[in-house]
Amino acid sequence: MAVIDLANPTRFLTLVNRVLPWLAGATALVFAYGLYRVGGAPDDYQQGATVKIMYLHVPGAWLGMMAWGVMTVAALGTLVWRHPLADVAGKAAAPVGAAFTFICLVTGALWGRPMWGTYWVWDARLTSVLVLFLLYLGMLALYWTAEDPNRSARAAAILALVGAVNIPIIKFSVDWWNTLHQPASVVRMGGAAIDASILVPLLIMALAFTLLFFTLHFAAMRNEILRRRVRSMRMMQARGA
Amino acid sequence: MSTDLIELSATDLACERGGRLVFSGLNFAVSAGEALVVTGRNGAGKSTLLRLIAGLLRKSGGRLDLTGGAAGADEATTAEQSHYLGHLDAVKPALSVGENLRFWTTYLGAPRGAPIRPALEAVDLAQLSDLPAAYLSAGQRRRLSIARLVAVPRPLWLLDEPTSALDTQSQDRLAALMRNHRSRGGMIVAAAHGPIGLDDPRELKLGAVT
Amino acid sequence: MSTDLIELSATDLACERGGRLVFSGLNFAVSAGEALVVTGRNGAGKSTLLRLIAGLLRKSGGRLDLTGGAAGADEATTAEQSHYLGHLDAVKPALSVGENLRFWTTYLGAPRGAPIRPALEAVDLAQLSDLPAAYLSAGQRRRLSIARLVAVPRPLWLLDEPTSALDTQSQDRLAALMRNHRSRGGMIVAAAHGPIGLDDPRELKLGAVT
Amino acid sequence: MSLGPHADFIIASYAVTALVVVALIGWIAADYAAQRRVLGDLEQRGVTRRSQRGKDHKALGDTP
Amino acid sequence: MTAFLALLGRDMRLAVRVGGGALMGALFYFTVVAMMPFAIGPDLNLLARIGSAILWLGALLASLLALDRLFATDHDDGSLDLLMMGAMPLELAVAAKAIAHWLTTALPLIVITPVLGLMLNIEMSAMGWVALTLLAGTPALTFIGLIGAALAVTLRRGGLLLAVLVLPLTVPVLIFGVAAANAAIIGPAPFGPPFTILCALSLASFVIGPFAAAAALRQGLE
Amino acid sequence: MTAFLALLGRDMRLAVRVGGGALMGALFYFTVVAMMPFAIGPDLNLLARIGSAILWLGALLASLLALDRLFATDHDDGSLDLLMMGAMPLELAVAAKAIAHWLTTALPLIVITPVLGLMLNIEMSAMGWVALTLLAGTPALTFIGLIGAALAVTLRRGGLLLAVLVLPLTVPVLIFGVAAANAAIIGPAPFGPPFTILCALSLASFVIGPFAAAAALRQGLE
Ligand code: HEM
Ligand SMILES: Nc1ncnc2c1ncn2[C@@H]1O[C@H](COP(=O)(O)OP(=O)(O)OP(=O)(O)O)[C@@H](O)[C@H]1O
Ligand SMILES: Nc1ncnc2c1ncn2[C@@H]1O[C@H](COP(=O)(O)OP(=O)(O)OP(=O)(O)O)[C@@H](O)[C@H]1O
Ligand SMILES: [Mg+2]
Ligand SMILES: [Mg+2]
């Protein structure tokens, strides 16, 4: 199936229907294997067993950030090419990305308590993830408030682009803010090099999370296409009367 | 609907808006089955008069009485005995057509669970009952607003340019509804710039102020 | 106003709203001095067509050209050559009648300091020039909106149910303004449910889709 | 596999993650079912998407 | 009663529908509270010390600002006219709208408070108490704000006017709310007295609010 | 240019007329800042320490919330349609509105800042600097908020949505604004660097804001 065919939502729908079970299956398999490897992974010499949280935390962080990347690309698709599937892709990515960012935040907080003695510090990296989460919430609010999906798609695309420009600036300002006020009082995991016995399970989990992301993303896109179909049918109905 | 002999009468009625007298010394009476068309130039006070009767403005002088029927003599009661159809449609886009009508029906006092379908049919919106009202065009929203008049029986209809935004077919349907309302002893006071399909209405011409 | 030979033509025009095709394959042409009345049932797409020509909606297919006169061929220019009179009056209640008109006259491109009084006289609002627009009735506000068309000469008038809320006298005055506009080579595209006082207009009937 | 002195936190992390993922899946599945249901409903009433087809598939849902 | 329930139900349904404002108050609360440390600085001790103040300020602003269009939407689409023409006293109608608003706006805000407490370094065990003070105090904010919402709509102004009118009236709620919350978090003052006063304020405004708001709406007939 | 000035003039005139929003931002700012000590408690040292944070938070909220109906009023009464039909590029029209808004809303707010500084126990000599940071930073708030205002109007929503969308984007402005103000009040960090960044943020948003807002309005054509 040529790429151009995907421009057609119906074709895309057919594709999704065909691919989704396999994707879901692969996700489950990789997850199972990843969790098995995680179970077998050694404890960190500094952090003990709590390093097991990392296998959720880090993929969550990566996917949370990647989802905004997907939204940015989709935004360009919406604004520049006016591609109907781009709208759908952007909208479907928002809740999933927000959920992964949320996972990163919660697992980080749960990790912070045993490691730092507190659930939350206003550390630069934590804080910039929090702001990313706030941006996601804004995006969800935007989608939530708009009755008309076409309207909200373009508005969201603009917000996604503005956010994409702003995220590096926020990151930079937060670094500056944190170092200005308070020298880091927190110890992060020492040692630049991560041992392969930890790294490999981590990468497998990251793969599992990525698969999960795409499974959910495609499923959400399918819902969105159907929702628009319902909408256009209702519009038909309205004009019939 | 109460079919007792009922009458709306105004004596020496006056109203002030924004510190200016819009009209004064107005006298008229409408009784069961009658219709009064209020005409006059832009700014003459047609909308003002209707809102006054509906209890949405305060009169600054004179008397306004609704006698007979289930009504007492005070303004509040006039409001409760009237339907007001103004320029705004009181339709919530987020609710479906049916939900919109059901809410107003319940709120305005029809017995709970009374069917709304006949009213929707009367304005030809029955097939759209489940549709969110956001999808309606200007004229369809107006028709939904008219359905309220049918769903909750109240003796006095106050209609401010009711045919605006309606296509000819819907105008005919409204005319039929008004005829039916009057035949059952209802009263109509309508503001209009042209004919709106009322049979031999009485006319009240408000003087042009400017 | 440029009195060159000017023409508005649509070829196979289509418009989509909310993901639905409202109309497609629309063809018409209006040339200098002509008027086109767009009719159709509620929801047929009359307002949509006018907003499309005004550049306030995007077409989803076909061509729309304004040729001749000072106009080029792209949409932006069509918008700049048109007056749009929609359901909303673009009147700020906090400004006086005169201030409202003067702002739009300046903004829409009349030379600064051009008198607005003639335009106010044309809609019979000259005595109210200093009144805050908040005090205007529905019809008076509409007339203020019409004054804009007179104050800034633009060849194409797009009128969406322009007579609604106007009293008969004002309707006659509007008819005279439209006649005058056409006699000077202007064009009119109007949406209406009934006659609006245009002499031998061409008609475009939008089909009710079921 | 021993989870050490901070087992609670580790378990909580996995539990929360599982919860979030399950909630997400549940929401998406429920949404799918809902859209399908409404779509079936509309189709049953004879509403079609096709009576006014676009020339191409620019509009979502306009396509066969 | 039927009319009361119908209106309550309608407003709640509108709030939770797409486009409704149900979660906007809670979102705003979350965002504002999360933003405050950026201004104040990342010092955890300082944040813990003024944590309850931050939460209460956030809740105050969110409650009042979310009230903004409570009557305005009904006014703008003509619903308010019809609400006044019903047989039910306007006071009750106003109360129904306020209750629906509290349920859909203030309640979610209280639910997410514990999460924010963590970020402000407030102890888990104390968070329940802080949420309780909000539960007791936010009705007062909603019902006092109600008056502002009614005034704002009759003056045809939205947004900040309401906050400017109402904020000064909410000073007692803020003071006793923070006092009760602080008593729970840091002590040593007892929790009981300020909390009792907070409840009393809520009860009083529950009675006064609808009457004043209905009066404002009636006076605004124009 | 004539059109630009006409629009600027009209918006300023509307803002200062009865019912206009000119002083509402400043009033809200005053009220919110004056309320904070009620929540935080009367400790003067603490207040002095977080004084600039309070002022900046107040200014942030006032600037964003006052933007609420910047385009919405023009949309609701049909003016926006006509503004788009003028010969002037929409970007310029948007900029004219934003400038008028800044002049009528942010400027009065900066003027009253010294008074509030007294209440917060900030030294007189430092107040000038704090006001200067606001002067340099509030344009960034207005022009970033502009995007939110445009998005909100295309979505037909007002109120808190704008704040929720825009607040996270203003984090840098808040951080550098407070940093510069603190440098002026308590030192010891130099005032220059954060202030320069603040100015840069304002300039950048001055360019980006109108473009993004105009794009949002155009995309919102429906
Ligand atoms: C809520 C609090 C936390 C948040 C928001 C957070 C955020 C993040 C982010 C965004 C990343 C990905 C960075 C990248 O690869 O580019 C990350 C990685 C990581 N985090 Fe956290 N974190 C939090 C708490 C913690 C805690 C408490 C620990 C352990 C003491 C921790 C340890 C790590 C480690 C080891 C990595 C992977 C190594 C690296 O890429 O640097 N995090 N975190
Ligand atoms: N904002 C909108 N978003 C999506 N669809 C819309 C919107 N406004 C109108 N429509 C749809 O576009 C179609 C045409 O509407 P339009 O307002 O152009 O009708 P009209 O011919 O002017 O009707 P009326 O006589 O009632 O004014 C209708 O089917 C309507 O449902
Ligand atoms: N909100 C208001 N405040 C003050 N004065 C008002 C207000 N609304 C209308 N008026 C004034 O009241 C008078 C009557 O207005 P009204 O709207 O009743 O006129 P109308 O007869 O309905 O006119 P139209 O045919 O234009 O609808 C007008 O002179 C107008 O200036
Ligand atoms: Mg009128
Ligand atoms: Mg129309």
Side-chain angles (χ1 to χ4, degrees):
Chain A
M1 181 178 293
V3 174
I4 193 69
D5 284 346
L6 298 181
N8 182 331
T10 308
R11 294 267 170 73
F12 180 80
L13 217 52
T14 327
L15 178 76
V16 167
N17 282 333
R18 200 174 317 144
V19 163
L20 209 55
W22 294 99
L23 208 52
T27 308
L29 280 180
V30 179
F31 249 112
Y33 181 59
L35 287 173
Y36 165 74
R37 289 295 299 263
V38 166
D43 290 354
D44 184 74
Y45 71 100
Q46 248 183 352
Q47 312 191 346
T50 54
V51 77
K52 293 221 165 13
I53 297 179
M54 186 179 70
Y55 303 111
L56 302 175
H57 172 75
V58 173
W62 288 345
L63 269 298
M65 291 184 281
M66 192 193 79
W68 199 281
V70 170
M71 278 162 50
T72 310
V73 174
L76 288 175
T78 300
L79 296 178
V80 181
W81 299 293
R82 305 193 149 270
H83 197 299
L85 266 182
D87 292 6
V88 174
K91 184 169 182 183
V96 185
F100 280 115
T101 310
F102 181 74
I103 288 175
C104 170
L105 280 169
V106 171
T107 55
L110 285 168
W111 199 355
R113 180 71 194 196
M115 289 298 109
W116 308 335
T118 170
Y119 288 102
W120 183 263
V121 290
W122 291 87
D123 161 87
R125 186 189 239 173
L126 275 62
T127 309
S128 36
V129 176
L130 176 65
V131 176
L132 178 64
F133 186 60
L134 291 179
L135 284 169
Y136 270 120
L137 290 183
M139 190 63 86
L140 292 177
L142 191 157
Y143 279 124
W144 171 252
T145 11
E147 289 124 25
D148 178 345
N150 298 282
R151 206 177 271 280
S152 63
R154 300 198 204 108
I158 287 172
L159 185 65
L161 285 183
V162 174
V165 171
N166 219 292
I167 285 173
I169 301 178
I170 291 172
K171 177 94 181 77
F172 146 74
S173 67
V174 164
D175 284 345
W176 210 76
W177 171 66
N178 198 253
T179 52
L180 182 73
H181 288 261
Q182 191 199 25
S185 62
V186 292
V187 223
R188 294 197 71 88
M189 190 166 88
I194 306 178
D195 192 76
S197 60
I198 291 180
L199 186 62
V200 171
L202 177 62
L203 291 180
I204 295 171
M205 284 301 279
L207 179 65
F209 268 70
T210 311
L211 287 171
L212 178 63
F213 175 83
F214 282 109
T215 310
L216 294 174
H217 188 220
F218 283 162
M221 279 177 76
R222 179 173 65 179
N223 288 353
E224 191 53 33
I225 291 173
L226 293 182
R227 191 180 347 268
R228 288 178 191 209
R229 232 168 233 193
V230 166
R231 207 186 128 83
S232 67
M233 286 170 78
R234 282 182 164 161
M235 205 81 87
M236 269 328 286
Q237 202 189 355
R239 295 178 57 226
Chain B
M1 181 188 330
S2 145
T3 42
D4 301 305
L5 208 66
I6 192 170
E7 194 191 51
L8 174 77
S9 66
T11 324
D12 210 18
L13 198 63
C15 184
E16 229 170 59
R17 286 187 93 169
R20 294 191 328 161
L21 206 58
V22 176
F23 52 72
S24 62
L26 215 58
N27 292 292
F28 63 85
V30 194
S31 49
E34 282 187 338
L36 180 73
V37 171
V38 186
T39 59
R41 295 192 46 184
N42 291 143
K46 301 177 294 299
S47 303
T48 304
L49 176 60
L50 293 191
R51 290 182 68 82
L52 184 70
I53 301 175
L56 301 171
L57 283 175
R58 240 178 308 263
K59 64 178 187 295
S60 54
R63 295 179 54 86
L64 181 68
D65 300 306
L66 188 66
T67 46
D74 58 326
E75 266 177 74
T77 322
T78 310
E80 283 159 31
Q81 297 277 334
S82 324
H83 271 303
Y84 173 68
L85 184 76
H87 293 291
L88 300 167
D89 296 318
V91 166
K92 294 285 178 198
L95 300 181
S96 74
V97 170
E99 284 172 326
N100 265 298
L101 184 58
R102 175 164 312 286
F103 166 69
W104 283 120
T105 325
T106 317
Y107 186 87
L108 294 175
R112 193 155 205 159
I116 54 168
R117 200 167 167 90
L120 283 179
E121 266 157 13
V123 294
D124 194 22
L125 283 179
Q127 328 85 290
L128 301 189
S129 178
D130 295 327
L131 194 77
Y135 296 89
L136 299 183
S137 81
Q140 289 169 334
R141 258 206 318 277
R142 188 119 191 117
R143 271 145 63 187
L144 176 51
S145 194
I146 292 172
R148 224 175 47 219
L149 311 190
V150 183
V152 184
R154 287 186 165 190
L156 177 57
W157 288 6
L158 305 167
L159 314 176
D160 200 350
E161 306 188 29
T163 52
S164 77
L166 293 184
D167 52 25
T168 34
Q169 212 168 327
S170 308
Q171 290 183 12
D172 295 345
R173 223 179 278 114
L174 175 65
L177 290 177
M178 293 192 295
R179 208 172 303 123
N180 184 26
H181 176 64
R182 288 170 66 186
S183 72
R184 291 158 67 198
M187 300 176 292
I188 292 176
V189 179
H193 288 298
I196 55 167
L198 281 168
D199 309 323
D200 46 79
R202 303 172 52 184
E203 192 180 325
L204 175 68
K205 192 158 172 58
L206 292 179
V209 184
T210 307
Chain C
M1 185 191 322
S2 147
T3 42
D4 301 302
L5 208 65
I6 195 170
E7 194 191 46
L8 175 77
S9 66
T11 323
D12 207 21
L13 199 63
C15 186
E16 227 170 60
R17 284 187 96 167
R20 269 326 298 179
L21 209 57
V22 176
F23 52 71
S24 61
L26 215 59
N27 292 294
F28 63 84
V30 193
S31 50
E34 283 188 338
L36 179 74
V37 171
V38 186
T39 58
R41 290 189 50 182
N42 288 145
K46 303 178 291 299
S47 304
T48 303
L49 177 60
L50 293 190
R51 290 181 68 81
L52 184 70
I53 301 176
L56 301 171
L57 283 176
R58 238 179 305 257
K59 64 179 186 299
S60 55
R63 294 179 56 84
L64 182 68
D65 300 306
L66 189 64
T67 46
D74 58 322
E75 266 176 74
T77 323
T78 309
E80 283 160 28
Q81 298 276 334
S82 323
H83 272 302
Y84 172 69
L85 185 76
H87 293 291
L88 300 166
D89 297 318
V91 165
K92 293 286 176 194
L95 301 180
S96 74
V97 170
E99 283 171 328
N100 266 297
L101 185 57
R102 177 165 307 286
F103 165 68
W104 283 121
T105 324
T106 317
Y107 186 88
L108 294 176
R112 192 155 207 161
I116 55 166
R117 198 164 172 94
L120 282 179
E121 267 157 10
V123 295
D124 195 22
L125 283 178
Q127 325 85 292
L128 300 186
S129 178
D130 295 327
L131 194 77
Y135 293 151
L136 297 184
S137 78
Q140 290 168 332
R141 258 207 316 276
R142 188 120 191 112
R143 272 147 61 189
L144 176 50
S145 195
I146 291 172
R148 224 175 46 218
L149 312 190
V150 182
V152 183
R154 289 187 165 189
L156 176 59
W157 287 7
L158 305 168
L159 314 176
D160 200 350
E161 305 188 29
T163 53
S164 79
L166 293 183
D167 54 24
T168 35
Q169 214 168 326
S170 308
Q171 290 182 12
D172 296 344
R173 225 182 277 113
L174 175 65
L177 290 177
M178 293 192 294
R179 207 171 303 120
N180 185 25
H181 176 63
R182 289 170 64 186
S183 74
R184 291 161 67 198
M187 299 176 294
I188 293 176
V189 179
H193 288 296
I196 56 167
L198 281 169
D199 308 324
D200 47 80
R202 303 170 53 180
E203 193 180 325
L204 175 69
K205 192 156 172 61
L206 292 180
V209 192
T210 309
Chain D
M1 174 174 70
S2 111
L3 292 180
H6 301 301
D8 295 357
F9 293 98
I10 298 171
I11 293 166
S13 297
Y14 279 80
V16 168
T17 306
L19 205 74
V20 170
V21 171
V22 166
L24 209 51
I25 292 172
W27 169 64
I28 288 174
D31 196 18
Y32 183 65
Q35 300 308 330
R36 276 252 95 105
R37 198 179 53 239
V38 179
L39 217 55
D41 223 47
L42 285 168
E43 257 152 24
Q44 207 173 19
R45 282 191 218 183
V47 184
T48 57
R49 297 180 285 120
R50 277 173 237 174
S51 48
Q52 265 278 307
R53 279 196 48 193
K55 305 173 305 304
D56 51 19
H57 40 256
K58 261 195 189 139
L60 267 188
D62 259 351
T63 42
Chain E
M1 205 54 204
T2 331
F4 186 88
L5 290 180
L7 185 54
L8 185 80
R10 180 196 73 152
D11 265 34
M12 291 189 65
R13 206 175 297 164
L14 282 176
V16 298
R17 284 282 162 89
V18 171
L23 293 176
M24 212 47 81
L27 261 178
F28 178 76
Y29 173 66
F30 187 83
T31 312
V32 163
V33 172
M35 291 284 289
M36 288 203 193
F38 287 109
I40 291 169
D43 180 345
L44 279 182
N45 290 330
L46 178 59
L47 285 177
R49 176 152 166 222
I50 61 175
S52 53
I54 292 180
L55 290 176
W56 259 95
L57 277 171
L60 176 66
L61 289 174
S63 301
L64 295 189
L65 293 171
L67 276 168
D68 181 16
R69 307 215 22 99
L70 183 69
F71 296 115
T73 45
D74 278 344
H75 175 268
D76 293 352
D77 70 7
S79 298
L80 193 57
D81 291 342
L82 298 186
L83 289 178
M84 290 179 143
M85 292 177 72
M88 180 165 74
L90 190 56
E91 284 76 8
L92 283 180
V94 164
K97 285 185 72 67
I99 293 172
H101 187 267
W102 186 83
L103 288 174
T104 52
T105 304
L107 219 48
L109 175 160
I110 295 168
V111 171
I112 62 165
T113 294
V115 179
L116 288 169
L118 285 187
M119 292 185 174
L120 297 172
N121 198 25
I122 297 174
E123 274 193 33
M124 264 301 204
S125 57
M127 273 321 302
W129 295 103
V130 177
L132 189 66
T133 63
L134 285 176
L135 191 67
T138 43
L141 298 179
T142 299
F143 279 86
I144 295 174
L146 195 62
I147 308 173
L151 285 174
V153 78
T154 60
L155 298 172
R156 306 238 178 92
R157 300 288 316 164
L160 294 183
L161 175 67
L162 187 153
V164 169
L165 290 176
V166 169
L167 271 175
L169 299 176
T170 58
V171 168
V173 184
L174 183 64
I175 288 177
F176 289 107
V178 175
N182 273 338
I185 300 177
I186 16 183
F191 179 77
F195 187 75
T196 316
I197 299 179
L198 202 58
C199 293
L201 286 172
S202 272
L203 282 179
S205 53
F206 187 75
V207 177
I208 297 171
F211 277 94
L217 288 177
R218 280 213 198 81
Q219 293 300 324
L221 294 180
E222 254 299 341
Chain F
M1 205 57 205
T2 330
F4 187 89
L5 290 179
L7 184 55
L8 187 80
R10 181 197 73 154
D11 265 34
M12 291 188 66
R13 206 177 295 162
L14 284 174
V16 298
R17 284 285 159 85
V18 172
L23 293 176
M24 214 48 81
L27 264 174
F28 178 77
Y29 173 66
F30 186 88
T31 317
V32 164
V33 172
M35 293 281 291
M36 291 212 187
F38 287 111
I40 290 169
D43 179 345
L44 278 183
N45 289 330
L46 179 60
L47 284 180
R49 177 159 163 214
I50 60 172
S52 53
I54 293 180
L55 291 175
W56 259 95
L57 277 172
L60 174 65
L61 289 174
S63 299
L64 293 190
L65 294 171
L67 275 169
D68 183 17
R69 313 230 353 114
L70 183 68
F71 296 115
T73 45
D74 279 343
H75 175 269
D76 293 351
D77 69 6
S79 298
L80 196 55
D81 291 342
L82 298 186
L83 289 179
M84 290 179 146
M85 292 177 73
M88 183 166 71
L90 190 58
E91 284 76 9
L92 282 180
V94 163
K97 287 185 70 69
I99 294 172
H101 187 267
W102 185 82
L103 288 173
T104 52
T105 305
L107 217 48
L109 173 162
I110 295 168
V111 171
I112 62 166
T113 294
V115 181
L116 288 169
L118 286 184
M119 294 166 63
L120 296 172
N121 196 28
I122 297 176
E123 274 192 35
M124 260 307 198
S125 57
M127 273 321 301
W129 295 102
V130 177
L132 189 66
T133 63
L134 286 175
L135 193 67
T138 43
L141 299 179
T142 301
F143 280 87
I144 295 174
L146 195 62
I147 307 174
L151 290 176
V153 77
T154 62
L155 298 170
R156 308 233 181 94
R157 287 289 141 188
L160 294 184
L161 176 67
L162 188 152
V164 169
L165 293 181
V166 168
L167 272 176
L169 299 175
T170 59
V171 166
V173 184
L174 183 63
I175 286 177
F176 290 109
V178 176
N182 272 339
I185 301 177
I186 16 182
F191 178 77
F195 187 74
T196 315
I197 299 178
L198 200 59
C199 295
L201 287 172
S202 273
L203 282 179
S205 52
F206 186 74
V207 177
I208 297 173
F211 276 93
L217 291 177
R218 278 213 201 83
Q219 296 294 332
L221 294 180
E222 259 299 337

